[in-house]
Amino acid sequence: RPCVGQAVQKFSCPMCALVCSDCFVLQEHVELHLDATQVKVKGTIYGTQSILDSTYAAYTPRHTCSFCFFNCFLDGFLEDFESDLQLARQLQEEEDLRSRRQEAKREAEDFKKLQGQYGLDGRGGYRRQLETCMERAVSRGHMAPLEFHRKKAEVMECLASGVDDGKSRTSGLMAALYEYYLKNGQDIANVWLSAETDHYSSSEGDRGWGCGYRNFQMLLSSLQKMELYRDCLTDGTVPSIPRVQALIEEAWREGADPQGASHFKHRLQGTRAWIGKAVRCFTAAPVVSVLCLSYCVEIVDCQGLCAVDRARIVDFDQPTGPGSTHPKLFEWVKTYFSASSSRGARLPPRVAKSSQPPIYLQHQGHSRTIVGIEQKKNGTLCLLVFDPGCPLEDMRRLLTPGLGASSVRLFRKFPSQLKHKQYQVVSAEGVLSPEEKQLQIETSKTLRAERIP
Protein backbone atom coordinates (compact mmCIF):
# COMPACT_ATOMS: atom_id res chain seq x y z
CA ARG A 1 0.00 0.00 0.00
CA PRO A 2 1.30 3.48 -0.75
CA CYS A 3 2.28 5.63 2.24
CA VAL A 4 0.32 8.66 3.33
CA GLY A 5 1.40 11.71 1.36
CA GLN A 6 3.09 9.65 -1.34
CA ALA A 7 2.08 10.73 -4.88
CA VAL A 8 -0.31 8.31 -6.54
CA GLN A 9 0.42 7.47 -10.23
CA LYS A 10 -2.48 8.06 -12.55
CA PHE A 11 -3.29 5.94 -15.63
CA SER A 12 -5.41 7.47 -18.44
CA CYS A 13 -7.58 5.40 -20.77
CA PRO A 14 -6.38 5.75 -24.36
CA MET A 15 -9.96 5.33 -25.64
CA CYS A 16 -11.91 7.66 -23.37
CA ALA A 17 -11.44 10.32 -20.66
CA LEU A 18 -11.34 7.93 -17.71
CA VAL A 19 -8.32 8.18 -15.37
CA CYS A 20 -7.46 5.21 -13.12
CA SER A 21 -5.03 4.90 -10.23
CA ASP A 22 -4.48 1.18 -10.79
CA CYS A 23 -3.00 -0.21 -13.97
CA PHE A 24 -4.92 -3.48 -13.59
CA VAL A 25 -8.21 -1.62 -13.38
CA LEU A 26 -7.23 0.30 -16.48
CA GLN A 27 -6.47 -2.95 -18.31
CA GLU A 28 -9.89 -4.34 -17.47
CA HIS A 29 -11.43 -1.08 -18.54
CA VAL A 30 -9.69 -1.13 -21.94
CA GLU A 31 -10.77 -4.74 -22.44
CA LEU A 32 -14.33 -3.59 -21.89
CA HIS A 33 -13.82 -1.17 -24.77
CA LEU A 34 -12.60 -3.94 -27.00
CA ASP A 35 -15.41 -6.30 -26.03
CA ALA A 36 -17.96 -3.59 -26.78
CA THR A 37 -17.02 -3.64 -30.50
CA GLN A 38 -18.69 -7.05 -30.90
CA VAL A 39 -22.01 -6.00 -32.39
CA LYS A 40 -24.70 -7.38 -34.68
CA VAL A 41 -26.01 -5.46 -37.69
CA LYS A 42 -29.43 -3.84 -37.26
CA GLY A 43 -28.75 -2.80 -33.66
CA THR A 44 -28.38 -6.01 -31.62
CA ILE A 45 -25.50 -5.30 -29.19
CA TYR A 46 -23.16 -7.91 -27.74
CA GLY A 47 -20.49 -7.67 -25.01
CA THR A 48 -20.64 -4.79 -22.57
CA GLN A 49 -21.98 -1.95 -24.65
CA SER A 50 -24.73 -1.27 -22.10
CA ILE A 51 -22.17 -1.12 -19.26
CA LEU A 52 -20.07 1.38 -21.20
CA ASP A 53 -23.11 3.48 -21.97
CA SER A 54 -23.98 3.78 -18.27
CA THR A 55 -20.43 4.08 -16.94
CA TYR A 56 -18.63 6.34 -19.39
CA ALA A 57 -21.32 8.40 -21.07
CA ALA A 58 -20.32 11.38 -18.99
CA TYR A 59 -16.71 11.33 -20.11
CA THR A 60 -16.95 11.47 -23.92
CA PRO A 61 -19.52 12.03 -26.71
CA ARG A 62 -20.81 8.97 -28.58
CA HIS A 63 -21.04 8.52 -32.35
CA THR A 64 -23.65 6.21 -33.83
CA CYS A 65 -22.75 4.04 -36.83
CA SER A 66 -25.29 4.50 -39.65
CA PHE A 67 -24.97 0.83 -40.65
CA CYS A 68 -25.21 -1.10 -37.35
CA PHE A 69 -26.37 1.65 -34.95
CA PHE A 70 -23.45 0.91 -32.58
CA ASN A 71 -22.55 3.76 -30.24
CA CYS A 72 -18.79 4.31 -30.57
CA PHE A 73 -16.46 6.30 -28.34
CA LEU A 74 -13.76 6.68 -30.99
CA ASP A 75 -13.93 10.40 -31.46
CA GLY A 76 -14.07 11.46 -35.14
CA PHE A 77 -13.61 7.98 -36.59
CA LEU A 78 -17.17 7.48 -37.85
CA GLU A 79 -17.43 11.10 -38.99
CA ASP A 80 -14.49 10.51 -41.34
CA PHE A 81 -15.89 7.16 -42.48
CA GLU A 82 -19.32 8.57 -43.32
CA SER A 83 -17.73 11.52 -45.09
CA ASP A 84 -15.75 9.13 -47.29
CA LEU A 85 -18.87 7.08 -47.92
CA GLN A 86 -20.80 10.15 -48.97
CA LEU A 87 -18.01 11.13 -51.36
CA ALA A 88 -17.98 7.63 -52.86
CA ARG A 89 -21.74 7.78 -53.41
CA GLN A 90 -21.42 11.16 -55.08
CA LEU A 91 -18.69 9.91 -57.42
CA GLN A 92 -20.77 6.84 -58.31
CA GLU A 93 -23.82 8.97 -59.09
CA GLU A 94 -21.72 11.20 -61.35
CA GLU A 95 -20.34 8.14 -63.13
CA ASP A 96 -23.85 6.71 -63.61
CA LEU A 97 -25.02 10.05 -65.02
CA ARG A 98 -22.13 10.12 -67.51
CA SER A 99 -22.90 6.55 -68.56
CA ARG A 100 -26.58 7.36 -69.14
CA ARG A 101 -25.70 10.39 -71.21
CA GLN A 102 -23.24 8.42 -73.33
CA GLU A 103 -25.81 5.66 -73.86
CA ALA A 104 -28.46 8.21 -74.88
CA LYS A 105 -25.98 9.77 -77.31
CA ARG A 106 -25.16 6.39 -78.86
CA GLU A 107 -28.86 5.56 -79.22
CA ALA A 108 -29.50 8.91 -80.93
CA GLU A 109 -26.61 8.32 -83.34
CA ASP A 110 -27.78 4.77 -84.11
CA PHE A 111 -31.32 6.02 -84.73
CA LYS A 112 -30.01 8.71 -87.04
CA LYS A 113 -28.01 6.12 -89.00
CA LEU A 114 -31.12 3.92 -89.22
CA GLN A 115 -33.14 6.83 -90.54
CA GLY A 116 -30.49 7.47 -93.16
CA GLN A 117 -30.40 3.80 -94.13
CA TYR A 118 -34.14 3.72 -94.80
CA GLY A 119 -34.40 7.18 -96.34
CA LEU A 120 -36.20 8.88 -93.45
CA ASP A 121 -33.50 11.36 -92.50
CA GLY A 122 -35.03 14.38 -94.24
CA ARG A 123 -32.30 14.66 -96.90
CA GLY A 124 -34.87 14.85 -99.69
CA GLY A 125 -36.18 12.29 -102.14
CA TYR A 126 -35.86 11.40 -105.82
CA ARG A 127 -35.65 14.96 -107.12
CA ARG A 128 -33.08 16.16 -104.58
CA GLN A 129 -30.84 13.12 -105.06
CA LEU A 130 -30.93 13.52 -108.84
CA GLU A 131 -30.07 17.23 -108.60
CA THR A 132 -27.22 16.47 -106.19
CA CYS A 133 -25.76 13.93 -108.62
CA MET A 134 -25.93 16.42 -111.50
CA GLU A 135 -24.36 19.17 -109.38
CA ARG A 136 -21.54 16.82 -108.45
CA ALA A 137 -21.01 16.00 -112.13
CA VAL A 138 -20.76 19.72 -112.95
CA SER A 139 -18.26 20.34 -110.14
CA ARG A 140 -16.07 17.48 -111.41
CA GLY A 141 -16.18 18.71 -114.98
CA HIS A 142 -18.22 15.76 -116.27
CA MET A 143 -21.20 17.91 -117.24
CA ALA A 144 -21.37 21.39 -118.70
CA PRO A 145 -23.49 23.99 -116.87
CA LEU A 146 -25.73 24.37 -119.92
CA GLU A 147 -26.34 20.60 -119.96
CA PHE A 148 -27.11 20.73 -116.25
CA HIS A 149 -29.86 23.31 -116.67
CA ARG A 150 -31.29 21.48 -119.68
CA LYS A 151 -31.51 18.19 -117.79
CA LYS A 152 -32.91 19.89 -114.71
CA ALA A 153 -35.71 21.37 -116.84
CA GLU A 154 -36.45 17.90 -118.24
CA VAL A 155 -36.60 16.46 -114.72
CA MET A 156 -39.01 19.14 -113.56
CA GLU A 157 -41.24 18.52 -116.59
CA CYS A 158 -41.21 14.77 -115.96
CA LEU A 159 -42.04 15.16 -112.28
CA ALA A 160 -44.86 17.56 -113.09
CA SER A 161 -46.42 15.06 -115.50
CA GLY A 162 -46.12 12.16 -113.02
CA VAL A 163 -45.04 9.81 -115.83
CA ASP A 164 -41.75 7.94 -115.85
CA ASP A 165 -39.44 9.18 -118.60
CA GLY A 166 -38.54 5.60 -119.61
CA LYS A 167 -34.80 6.31 -119.64
CA SER A 168 -34.11 3.37 -117.34
CA ARG A 169 -36.50 0.99 -119.13
CA THR A 170 -35.43 -1.94 -121.29
CA SER A 171 -38.11 -3.59 -123.43
CA GLY A 172 -37.92 -6.83 -125.39
CA LEU A 173 -35.99 -8.92 -122.87
CA MET A 174 -38.74 -11.53 -122.54
CA ALA A 175 -38.73 -12.13 -126.30
CA ALA A 176 -34.93 -12.43 -126.23
CA LEU A 177 -35.15 -15.01 -123.45
CA TYR A 178 -37.79 -16.96 -125.36
CA GLU A 179 -35.63 -17.10 -128.48
CA TYR A 180 -32.60 -18.13 -126.45
CA TYR A 181 -34.34 -21.09 -124.83
CA LEU A 182 -35.78 -22.26 -128.15
CA LYS A 183 -32.29 -22.52 -129.61
CA ASN A 184 -30.24 -23.43 -126.53
CA GLY A 185 -30.41 -25.21 -123.24
CA GLN A 186 -29.98 -28.87 -124.09
CA ASP A 187 -29.77 -29.69 -120.37
CA ILE A 188 -33.08 -27.91 -119.66
CA ALA A 189 -36.30 -29.91 -119.58
CA ASN A 190 -38.83 -27.06 -119.30
CA VAL A 191 -38.94 -23.28 -119.12
CA TRP A 192 -41.94 -21.19 -118.09
CA LEU A 193 -41.85 -17.44 -118.77
CA SER A 194 -44.18 -14.75 -117.50
CA ALA A 195 -46.18 -12.40 -119.70
CA GLU A 196 -44.24 -9.64 -121.48
CA THR A 197 -42.45 -7.46 -118.90
CA ASP A 198 -40.15 -4.45 -119.20
CA HIS A 199 -37.05 -4.12 -117.04
CA TYR A 200 -36.52 -0.92 -115.03
CA SER A 201 -33.04 -0.16 -113.70
CA SER A 202 -32.28 2.11 -110.79
CA SER A 203 -31.26 5.59 -111.88
CA GLU A 204 -29.22 8.36 -110.26
CA GLY A 205 -32.34 9.67 -108.55
CA ASP A 206 -33.20 6.43 -106.71
CA ARG A 207 -29.97 4.44 -106.56
CA GLY A 208 -29.63 2.74 -103.19
CA TRP A 209 -33.29 2.82 -102.16
CA GLY A 210 -35.64 2.62 -105.16
CA CYS A 211 -35.74 -1.14 -105.85
CA GLY A 212 -39.29 -1.50 -104.50
CA TYR A 213 -40.61 1.24 -106.79
CA ARG A 214 -38.76 -0.14 -109.80
CA ASN A 215 -40.16 -3.62 -109.24
CA PHE A 216 -43.64 -2.16 -109.08
CA GLN A 217 -43.01 -0.44 -112.41
CA MET A 218 -41.98 -3.80 -113.89
CA LEU A 219 -45.16 -5.45 -112.63
CA LEU A 220 -47.29 -2.59 -113.92
CA SER A 221 -45.61 -2.68 -117.35
CA SER A 222 -46.72 -6.30 -117.65
CA LEU A 223 -50.29 -5.69 -116.49
CA GLN A 224 -50.74 -2.92 -119.07
CA LYS A 225 -50.12 -5.42 -121.87
CA MET A 226 -52.75 -7.89 -120.60
CA GLU A 227 -56.37 -7.81 -121.75
CA LEU A 228 -57.71 -8.40 -118.23
CA TYR A 229 -56.31 -5.12 -116.89
CA ARG A 230 -56.75 -2.77 -119.83
CA ASP A 231 -60.02 -1.31 -118.56
CA CYS A 232 -58.44 -0.06 -115.33
CA LEU A 233 -55.07 0.84 -116.90
CA THR A 234 -56.43 3.00 -119.70
CA ASP A 235 -53.65 5.58 -120.11
CA GLY A 236 -50.91 3.00 -120.72
CA THR A 237 -48.29 5.01 -118.84
CA VAL A 238 -46.03 3.99 -115.97
CA PRO A 239 -45.92 6.49 -113.10
CA SER A 240 -42.66 8.00 -111.94
CA ILE A 241 -41.32 7.19 -108.49
CA PRO A 242 -42.57 10.46 -106.92
CA ARG A 243 -45.99 9.76 -108.46
CA VAL A 244 -45.97 6.23 -107.01
CA GLN A 245 -45.23 7.75 -103.61
CA ALA A 246 -48.16 10.13 -104.03
CA LEU A 247 -50.47 7.24 -105.01
CA ILE A 248 -49.46 5.32 -101.90
CA GLU A 249 -50.29 8.31 -99.72
CA GLU A 250 -53.66 8.64 -101.44
CA ALA A 251 -54.37 4.99 -100.68
CA TRP A 252 -53.45 5.56 -97.03
CA ARG A 253 -55.85 8.49 -96.83
CA GLU A 254 -58.62 6.19 -98.08
CA GLY A 255 -57.95 3.95 -95.10
CA ALA A 256 -55.83 1.16 -96.57
CA ASP A 257 -52.97 -0.40 -94.67
CA PRO A 258 -53.02 1.68 -91.46
CA GLN A 259 -50.01 -0.22 -90.10
CA GLY A 260 -47.85 0.69 -93.08
CA ALA A 261 -49.08 4.30 -93.01
CA SER A 262 -48.16 4.58 -89.34
CA HIS A 263 -44.75 3.04 -89.95
CA PHE A 264 -43.91 5.70 -92.55
CA LYS A 265 -45.72 8.45 -90.59
CA HIS A 266 -48.18 8.85 -93.51
CA ARG A 267 -45.49 10.42 -95.68
CA LEU A 268 -43.41 9.12 -98.57
CA GLN A 269 -43.16 12.07 -100.96
CA GLY A 270 -39.88 13.89 -100.71
CA THR A 271 -38.19 10.98 -98.90
CA ARG A 272 -35.95 8.07 -99.83
CA ALA A 273 -38.02 5.61 -97.83
CA TRP A 274 -37.71 1.99 -98.87
CA ILE A 275 -40.88 0.10 -99.72
CA GLY A 276 -41.23 -3.64 -99.96
CA LYS A 277 -38.42 -4.36 -97.49
CA ALA A 278 -38.92 -7.44 -95.33
CA VAL A 279 -39.98 -5.79 -92.10
CA ARG A 280 -42.56 -7.72 -90.14
CA CYS A 281 -46.09 -6.27 -90.29
CA PHE A 282 -45.23 -3.70 -92.97
CA THR A 283 -44.10 -5.95 -95.80
CA ALA A 284 -45.35 -4.93 -99.25
CA ALA A 285 -47.98 -2.66 -97.74
CA PRO A 286 -47.29 0.39 -99.93
CA VAL A 287 -47.19 -1.64 -103.15
CA VAL A 288 -50.42 -3.40 -102.24
CA SER A 289 -52.10 -0.09 -101.43
CA VAL A 290 -51.11 1.38 -104.79
CA LEU A 291 -52.29 -1.60 -106.81
CA CYS A 292 -55.53 -2.15 -104.93
CA LEU A 293 -56.74 1.40 -104.58
CA SER A 294 -55.13 3.37 -107.40
CA TYR A 295 -55.38 0.65 -110.05
CA CYS A 296 -58.07 -1.63 -108.60
CA VAL A 297 -55.89 -4.72 -108.99
CA GLU A 298 -56.37 -7.63 -106.64
CA ILE A 299 -53.14 -8.57 -104.90
CA VAL A 300 -51.87 -11.70 -103.22
CA ASP A 301 -49.20 -10.71 -100.73
CA CYS A 302 -47.13 -12.29 -98.04
CA GLN A 303 -48.75 -10.71 -94.99
CA GLY A 304 -52.42 -10.82 -95.87
CA LEU A 305 -52.81 -7.10 -96.37
CA CYS A 306 -55.26 -7.88 -99.17
CA ALA A 307 -57.51 -10.84 -98.61
CA VAL A 308 -60.40 -11.28 -101.03
CA ASP A 309 -62.02 -14.69 -101.67
CA ARG A 310 -59.65 -15.61 -104.48
CA ALA A 311 -56.51 -14.32 -102.79
CA ARG A 312 -53.67 -16.51 -101.57
CA ILE A 313 -51.37 -15.15 -98.93
CA VAL A 314 -47.91 -16.67 -98.93
CA ASP A 315 -44.99 -16.04 -96.61
CA PHE A 316 -41.92 -18.30 -96.92
CA ASP A 317 -41.10 -17.68 -93.30
CA GLN A 318 -38.10 -19.99 -92.88
CA PRO A 319 -35.76 -22.19 -94.92
CA THR A 320 -37.20 -25.53 -95.98
CA GLY A 321 -34.12 -27.17 -97.45
CA PRO A 322 -30.50 -27.98 -96.61
CA GLY A 323 -28.04 -25.12 -96.30
CA SER A 324 -30.75 -22.52 -95.49
CA THR A 325 -32.34 -22.87 -98.93
CA HIS A 326 -36.01 -22.44 -99.89
CA PRO A 327 -37.06 -25.28 -102.24
CA LYS A 328 -40.74 -24.72 -101.42
CA LEU A 329 -40.46 -21.18 -102.78
CA PHE A 330 -39.15 -22.57 -106.08
CA GLU A 331 -41.95 -25.16 -106.21
CA TRP A 332 -44.53 -22.46 -105.55
CA VAL A 333 -43.19 -20.33 -108.41
CA LYS A 334 -43.16 -23.34 -110.75
CA THR A 335 -46.81 -24.08 -109.96
CA TYR A 336 -47.74 -20.42 -110.45
CA PHE A 337 -46.29 -20.19 -113.98
CA SER A 338 -46.91 -23.74 -115.21
CA ALA A 339 -50.58 -23.93 -114.22
CA SER A 340 -51.78 -21.51 -116.90
CA SER A 341 -49.42 -22.66 -119.66
CA SER A 342 -50.35 -26.35 -119.35
CA ARG A 343 -54.15 -25.93 -119.46
CA GLY A 344 -55.71 -27.96 -122.26
CA ALA A 345 -52.39 -29.43 -123.40
CA ARG A 346 -51.53 -33.09 -123.11
CA LEU A 347 -47.82 -32.41 -123.30
CA PRO A 348 -46.73 -28.87 -122.37
CA PRO A 349 -44.12 -27.28 -124.64
CA ARG A 350 -40.52 -27.24 -123.49
CA VAL A 351 -40.49 -23.43 -123.59
CA ALA A 352 -43.82 -21.96 -122.58
CA LYS A 353 -45.02 -18.36 -122.45
CA SER A 354 -47.31 -18.05 -119.48
CA SER A 355 -50.25 -15.66 -119.30
CA GLN A 356 -49.34 -14.86 -115.72
CA PRO A 357 -47.81 -11.51 -114.76
CA PRO A 358 -44.43 -11.54 -113.03
CA ILE A 359 -44.01 -12.04 -109.28
CA TYR A 360 -42.75 -9.42 -106.89
CA LEU A 361 -40.10 -11.14 -104.72
CA GLN A 362 -38.70 -9.49 -101.62
CA HIS A 363 -36.38 -10.23 -98.76
CA GLN A 364 -34.50 -8.22 -96.17
CA GLY A 365 -32.79 -5.27 -97.82
CA HIS A 366 -33.75 -5.86 -101.46
CA SER A 367 -36.52 -6.89 -103.84
CA ARG A 368 -36.59 -8.31 -107.37
CA THR A 369 -39.08 -9.45 -110.00
CA ILE A 370 -39.48 -13.11 -110.98
CA VAL A 371 -40.17 -13.40 -114.72
CA GLY A 372 -39.90 -17.16 -115.12
CA ILE A 373 -38.44 -20.44 -113.96
CA GLU A 374 -36.46 -23.19 -115.67
CA GLN A 375 -36.26 -26.86 -114.75
CA LYS A 376 -33.22 -28.84 -115.72
CA LYS A 377 -33.37 -32.49 -116.75
CA ASN A 378 -32.02 -33.54 -113.35
CA GLY A 379 -34.97 -31.76 -111.68
CA THR A 380 -33.09 -28.69 -110.45
CA LEU A 381 -35.14 -25.50 -110.52
CA CYS A 382 -33.75 -22.06 -111.30
CA LEU A 383 -35.58 -18.74 -111.03
CA LEU A 384 -35.31 -16.11 -113.74
CA VAL A 385 -35.35 -12.65 -112.16
CA PHE A 386 -35.15 -9.02 -113.21
CA ASP A 387 -32.99 -7.10 -110.74
CA PRO A 388 -33.36 -3.28 -110.62
CA GLY A 389 -29.74 -3.15 -109.52
CA CYS A 390 -28.48 -4.38 -112.89
CA PRO A 391 -27.04 -1.44 -114.86
CA LEU A 392 -29.06 -0.19 -117.81
CA GLU A 393 -26.15 -0.71 -120.22
CA ASP A 394 -25.85 -4.39 -119.26
CA MET A 395 -29.55 -4.99 -119.77
CA ARG A 396 -29.68 -3.33 -123.19
CA ARG A 397 -26.62 -5.25 -124.27
CA LEU A 398 -28.71 -8.41 -123.94
CA LEU A 399 -30.91 -7.26 -126.82
CA THR A 400 -28.14 -7.76 -129.35
CA PRO A 401 -28.60 -10.81 -131.62
CA GLY A 402 -27.14 -14.08 -130.42
CA LEU A 403 -27.85 -13.95 -126.69
CA GLY A 404 -25.34 -16.29 -125.03
CA ALA A 405 -25.36 -18.44 -121.91
CA SER A 406 -23.01 -16.03 -120.14
CA SER A 407 -25.57 -13.26 -120.56
CA VAL A 408 -28.43 -15.38 -119.23
CA ARG A 409 -26.48 -15.79 -115.97
CA LEU A 410 -27.65 -12.28 -115.07
CA PHE A 411 -31.18 -13.64 -114.72
CA ARG A 412 -30.58 -17.07 -113.15
CA LYS A 413 -30.94 -17.62 -109.41
CA PHE A 414 -30.44 -21.16 -108.10
CA PRO A 415 -31.55 -22.29 -104.61
CA SER A 416 -27.98 -21.91 -103.33
CA GLN A 417 -28.15 -18.20 -104.23
CA LEU A 418 -31.29 -17.44 -102.24
CA LYS A 419 -30.43 -18.06 -98.60
CA HIS A 420 -32.09 -15.24 -96.71
CA LYS A 421 -34.07 -16.24 -93.66
CA GLN A 422 -37.43 -15.44 -95.23
CA TYR A 423 -38.94 -14.42 -98.57
CA GLN A 424 -42.28 -12.96 -99.52
CA VAL A 425 -44.11 -12.80 -102.83
CA VAL A 426 -46.69 -10.45 -104.35
CA SER A 427 -48.72 -11.37 -107.44
CA ALA A 428 -51.68 -9.83 -109.24
CA GLU A 429 -54.73 -12.05 -109.75
CA GLY A 430 -57.57 -9.95 -111.10
CA VAL A 431 -59.47 -6.68 -111.16
CA LEU A 432 -61.51 -5.46 -108.22
CA SER A 433 -65.03 -4.11 -108.46
CA PRO A 434 -65.87 -0.98 -106.41
CA GLU A 435 -67.46 -3.20 -103.74
CA GLU A 436 -64.40 -5.47 -103.63
CA LYS A 437 -62.17 -2.43 -103.44
CA GLN A 438 -63.94 -1.22 -100.30
CA LEU A 439 -63.74 -4.71 -98.85
CA GLN A 440 -60.04 -4.69 -99.66
CA ILE A 441 -59.59 -1.51 -97.63
CA GLU A 442 -61.34 -2.99 -94.62
CA THR A 443 -59.44 -6.26 -94.89
CA SER A 444 -56.08 -4.49 -95.08
CA LYS A 445 -56.55 -3.34 -91.47
CA THR A 446 -55.98 -6.90 -90.24
CA LEU A 447 -52.78 -8.82 -90.90
CA ARG A 448 -53.28 -12.48 -91.88
CA ALA A 449 -50.93 -14.91 -93.55
CA GLU A 450 -50.65 -18.46 -94.82
CA ARG A 451 -47.09 -19.45 -94.19
CA ILE A 452 -45.00 -22.07 -95.93
CA PRO A 453 -44.10 -24.26 -94.25
Side-chain angles (χ1 to χ4, degrees), residues 27-46:
Q27 181 179 354
E28 294 178 356
H29 167 71
V30 173
E31 289 177 354
L32 291 176
H33 273 297
L34 298 176
D35 293 340
T37 60
Q38 301 176 7
V39 297
K40 182 180 179 180
V41 178
K42 298 184 180 180
T44 303
I45 302 174
Y46 296 89

Side-chain angles (χ1 to χ4, degrees), residues 114 117-118 208-209 211-212 215 263 274-284 302-303 315-317 326 329 360-368 387 417-425:
L114 191 64
Q117 180 182 355
Y118 291 107
W209 57 273
C211 60
N215 283 300
H263 174 68
W274 295 9
I275 63 171
K277 60 185 180 299
V279 176
R280 182 64 59 188
C281 296
F282 305 118
T283 310
C302 60
Q303 298 294 346
D315 180 2
F316 301 93
D317 195 51
H326 292 261
L329 167 63
Y360 187 112
L361 173 70
Q362 58 186 356
H363 57 80
Q364 180 63 39
H366 194 38
S367 60
R368 287 168 278 196
D387 191 336
Q417 296 173 291
L418 297 179
K419 290 188 175 183
H420 283 81
K421 182 179 179 180
Q422 67 182 85
Y423 290 88
Q424 296 86 25
V425 295

Side-chain angles (χ1 to χ4, degrees), residues 320-336:
T320 53
S324 300
T325 57
H326 292 261
K328 289 188 179 295
L329 167 63
F330 284 71
E331 291 291 341
W332 188 92
V333 173
K334 174 186 173 182
T335 302
Y336 173 84

Side-chain angles (χ1 to χ4, degrees), residues 39-57:
V39 297
K40 182 180 179 180
V41 178
K42 298 184 180 180
T44 303
I45 302 174
Y46 296 89
T48 57
Q49 174 66 54
S50 60
I51 299 176
L52 288 175
D53 285 347
S54 60
T55 307
Y56 306 111

